[in-house]
């Protein structure tokens, strides 16, 4: 599935869910943001945080409003510390890095995964 990410009536990016297996209740994901546009208008951090949170929520939401999966997987580059930190904040765990060949280079990637039961819960101040 390919979803457009919109904020304040502007299209700021795209989220892709692939390798969706309804029987295994799993999927992989990735996202892209309009880096130049969000950086220029000062919304980059807000957009990045919001797209990640909304995509994760969508992945675990019951159908027809979401994928209703139990396991969400992805990849992150080792040098992308900001995404790695946000992944940890959202409950993702990292696997062992591995190398992938592309057309003209070898790229190291770190697999990440999040199980439905490992998502952090948010409680209101009244519940704490």
């Amino acid at each position: 599935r390919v979803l457009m990410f919109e904020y304040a009536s502007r299209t700021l990016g795209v989220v892709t869910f692939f390798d969706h297996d309804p029987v295994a209740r799993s999927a992989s994901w990735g996202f892209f943001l309009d880096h130049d546009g969000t950086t220029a208008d000062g919304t980059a951090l807000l957009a990045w945080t919001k797209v990640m949170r909304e995509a994760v929520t969508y992945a675990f939401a019951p159908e027809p409003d979401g994928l209703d999966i139990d396991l969400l997987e992805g990849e992150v580059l080792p040098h992308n510390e900001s995404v790695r930190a946000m992944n940890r904040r959202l409950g993702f765990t990292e696997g062992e890095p591995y190398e992938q060949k592309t057309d003209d280079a070898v790229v190291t990637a770190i697999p990440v995964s999040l199980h439905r039961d490992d998502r952090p819960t948010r409680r209101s101040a009244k519940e704490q």
Side-chain angles (χ1 to χ4, degrees), residues 8-125:
S9 299
R10 288 180 46 214
T11 301
L12 298 180
V14 64
V15 178
T16 60
F17 291 96
F18 54 96
D19 295 338
H20 180 213
D21 184 337
V23 175
R25 297 178 54 94
S26 64
S28 295
W29 78 302
F31 70 93
F32 301 93
L33 288 176
D34 173 7
H35 177 74
D36 293 340
T38 59
T39 299
D41 68 9
T43 60
L45 181 60
L46 172 73
W48 174 56
T49 303
K50 197 160 181 57
V51 73
M52 287 190 75
R53 288 186 189 281
E54 288 186 12
V56 168
T57 298
Y58 175 83
F60 294 106
E63 292 187 69
D65 298 323
L67 294 177
D68 198 20
I69 61 172
D70 290 329
L71 180 65
L72 181 61
E73 298 176 298
E75 296 175 330
V76 63
L77 299 175
H79 67 273
N80 200 340
E81 284 298 328
S82 55
V83 171
R84 291 176 71 189
M86 178 60 88
N87 283 343
R88 285 188 292 274
R89 209 170 157 188
L90 292 173
F92 283 88
T93 57
E94 293 185 351
E96 289 297 316
Y98 63 94
E99 292 184 342
Q100 256 179 237
K101 262 190 162 183
T102 64
D103 291 337
D104 54 353
V106 175
V107 177
T108 300
I110 300 171
V112 296
S113 61
L114 176 61
H115 192 276
R116 173 188 297 278
D117 297 337
D118 296 332
R119 294 171 51 210
T121 57
R122 299 175 87 189
R123 297 185 310 188
S124 69

